[in-house]
Structure formats: structure tokens, C-alpha cells
Amino acid sequence: LMAATAIFDYRRLRDYWPFIYGGSVTLLLLVLIPGVGESRSGTQGWFQLGPFQLQPSELAKLGMIIGFAGLASQFRGDLDTPRVLMLLGLCGLPMGLVMLQPDLGTTLVSVAVSFALLLVAGVRPRVLGVLALGAVVVTTLVLTSGVLKEYQVARLTTYVRQDQEVTSERDEETRYNLDQAKLAIGSGGLTGKGLFQGTQTNNSFVPEQRTDFIFTAVGEQLGFIGAAAFLALFSIVCWRIWRAAASARDAAGTLICVGVLAMLVFQIFQNVGMTMGIMPITGIPLPFLSFGGSATVVSFVAIGLVLNV
């Protein structure tokens, strides 16, 4: 898929973006229908296609990037109030549908991507400031309104209460995940215990270690040096995406690269940060490393778009 995406001329996406964006939104609508979409861990966000589980929210991130690039490139930098509202609506619709699942983690990724795209597209800083304030208010309302399940709220807020006493069974369960993650990373020391030799990894003490908490295996087995080298490789990828954005021949190419860059940077920072207790615990995979289907496919297709540009 990455190779096919790299070969396809991305400039033709300017003609087809309504179909790509519309298709991703349609999938988000369909997955919410009981009996059509599958529910897992309190989130209705998957289609079961034989042995493969398709997650439309992952595809929607790419659909939003392509849709934004296609629409904004038509404005040619002339962003009056109606056009800014159109761009905001284009970003807000898939985010709202993802929150209905509910999936706050993927929504946060989309928020970061939206801000990066709006900034590069030329939206005024004061407008972005108002949007940032609105995002904080909406996030607070979501956490306190009962939209999310109790365990989801606990996962998101545990990192700010790490040094406090456990007050409930739910807090104890969530704190266990975080404590085991930090213990695994810390036990790796400077050089690690050796590839496939980590006791925390081999004994499965860290929950979801193949997916959301995969960085704990890196820290334990390869240590500080290995983890730093691992993040340095990610930095090279991000730097090359930035270079592609800066040298793109048109606005659509620049916006596609910026959207992919924001998506990867936020996911890397969020995923690594939550395993060390400096970010909320959310179900966001680590690109190219976490075991997964839809997220892995989307990451490779996104890189294919950058290669195309």
C-alpha cells in the first residue's frame, strides 16, 4: 500500500478529495450502528472483516488530512471567515463522530493535526488561540460529563495523581499499569537487559505491552542508549517529512506532509510519554512498532503520501 500510494500522483487528490473524505466520514457513521460496528473495551469503533479488524477512526485521520489539503489548496491562501469556518467544519465532523464511539485518544491526535494544518494554511494566531481555549473547555466537559466510561477517565487522569494515595479500586488498577510501565523502563538502566531478555516483558507484567505500551519493551531490553537511538531514528523520519513539506511544489503537498508530520510526532510523544508518566494514558499506538492492523496500514500509507510529494 505504501508503494502504491507513492506511485499515485498526489496532485490528483485535489480532484478526488471529496470522495476520500466523504468515504472516511461514512465509515465513521456506519461503525456507530449497533450490529454493524463491533464494540471492544467500551468503544464502538471496529468492523470485523474475517480475521482483520478495521478501525475507521484511523482511516479518518488520513481522510481529514487529504480533505483539508484539497480544500485549502483551492483557497490559495485567501482565508476569510467563511473559508476558515469551512476548514473547521471539515476537521470537526470526523472528530465529533470519533468522540461518539467514544475514543478520546484518536480525537486528540486529530486535534493536534488540525492545529498544525490550520497554522500552515495561514489562519491567524488569535483564531488559533481561541480554538485552543475552546479545545481545553471541551476536553474538560468531556471528562466531567459522563461521556467517557469511568475507567477511561481514570486512565486519562491518573498521571496527575501519581504521587497521591490510591483511593479506589479503579485507581489501583490504572496505577498498576503505569507503575509497571515505569518499572520496566527504569529496570533497563543504561544499556538494557538484552534483546528478548527483559523479565517484565517476558512475564507480561505490563498490560497491552505489544500495542499501547510497546515502548516499555524497548526501554527494558535496550536501555537508555537503545531507547535514545530508537527515538533518534524517529527524529530522522520526522526531519525528512519536514524537508518534504518545505520543498513541496504546491500548497496541497505541503499540507499533506505537515498533516502526516503532526500525526506521527503527536503519537510518538504521547505514546512514549504515557509509559513514563508524563502524559495521560490513552489508546494510541506507537507508529511502526506497536502490533496492530489499521494503525500500521495508515502509518505506511501516510509515509507513501510523503514519498509521493
Side-chain angles (χ1 to χ4, degrees):
L1 283 174
M2 184 182 74
T5 306
I7 294 172
F8 181 84
D9 188 351
Y10 77 93
R11 288 169 292 187
R12 298 178 63 184
L13 294 176
R14 290 177 294 190
D15 301 324
Y16 298 131
W17 74 262
F19 302 101
I20 298 172
Y21 176 80
S24 65
V25 170
T26 301
L27 290 176
L28 289 177
L29 288 169
L30 291 175
V31 81
L32 294 173
I33 301 175
V36 178
E38 295 285 334
S39 180
R40 189 174 67 189
S41 301
T43 299
Q44 175 122 354
W46 288 267
F47 292 117
Q48 189 68 46
L49 306 175
F52 186 78
Q53 284 190 322
L54 178 66
Q55 190 173 3
S57 60
E58 291 290 339
L59 302 177
K61 292 185 294 187
L62 269 186
M64 186 182 73
I65 292 172
I66 294 172
F68 189 104
L71 182 59
S73 62
Q74 295 178 5
F75 296 156
R76 301 184 184 280
D78 183 14
L79 294 179
D80 53 14
T81 300
R83 289 176 172 177
V84 172
L85 292 176
M86 289 174 63
L87 293 174
L88 290 176
L90 184 144
C91 295
L93 178 58
M95 284 191 279
L97 293 174
V98 171
M99 274 306 303
L100 291 177
Q101 297 181 4
D103 184 354
L104 184 58
T106 303
T107 304
L108 292 175
V109 177
S110 299
V111 169
V113 172
S114 299
F115 269 94
L117 290 172
L118 291 167
L119 178 64
V120 174
V123 175
R124 291 188 293 272
R126 68 170 178 268
V127 175
L128 294 176
V130 173
L131 292 175
L133 180 61
V136 172
V137 172
V138 170
T139 302
T140 303
L141 291 175
V142 168
L143 290 174
T144 58
S145 64
V147 174
L148 299 178
K149 306 292 183 182
E150 181 184 353
Y151 79 92
Q152 291 175 314
V153 176
R155 291 180 68 187
L156 289 166
T157 57
T158 293
Y159 83 108
V160 299
R161 296 181 278 107
Q162 296 176 56
D163 299 326
Q164 301 176 12
E165 293 185 5
V166 175
T167 57
S168 67
E169 184 178 345
R170 181 70 68 185
D171 273 349
E172 183 177 4
E173 179 184 344
T174 308
R175 188 78 61 84
Y176 172 82
N177 293 7
L178 180 58
D179 289 344
Q180 291 298 319
K182 292 193 293 184
L183 179 62
I185 294 174
S187 66
L190 183 64
T191 59
K193 296 180 178 179
L195 194 61
F196 308 127
Q197 301 302 314
T199 54
Q200 297 287 106
T201 303
N202 293 339
N203 293 316
S204 302
F205 287 124
V206 182
E208 307 295 339
Q209 194 160 20
R210 298 173 67 192
T211 53
D212 298 344
F213 284 86
I214 189 68
F215 188 74
T216 60
V218 177
E220 182 184 27
Q221 298 176 37
L222 305 181
F224 176 81
I225 294 176
F230 174 78
L231 293 176
L233 294 174
F234 265 134
S235 299
I236 293 173
V237 173
C238 293
W239 168 58
R240 295 307 302 168
I241 296 175
W242 178 254
R243 287 285 299 147
S247 59
R249 297 180 180 180
D250 55 16
T254 296
L255 290 170
I256 287 173
C257 291
V258 167
V260 172
L261 177 63
M263 180 180 73
L264 293 179
V265 168
F266 184 85
Q267 289 186 186
I268 294 166
F269 182 79
Q270 166 62 33
N271 183 282
V272 173
M274 76 177 184
T275 63
M276 297 188 291
I278 63 173
M279 291 293 286
I281 298 176
T282 56
I284 295 178
L286 188 58
F288 306 112
L289 193 67
S290 291
F291 176 86
S294 301
T296 303
V297 170
V298 167
S299 295
F300 274 103
V301 170
I303 293 297
L305 285 172
V306 175
L307 291 172
N308 197 318
V309 175

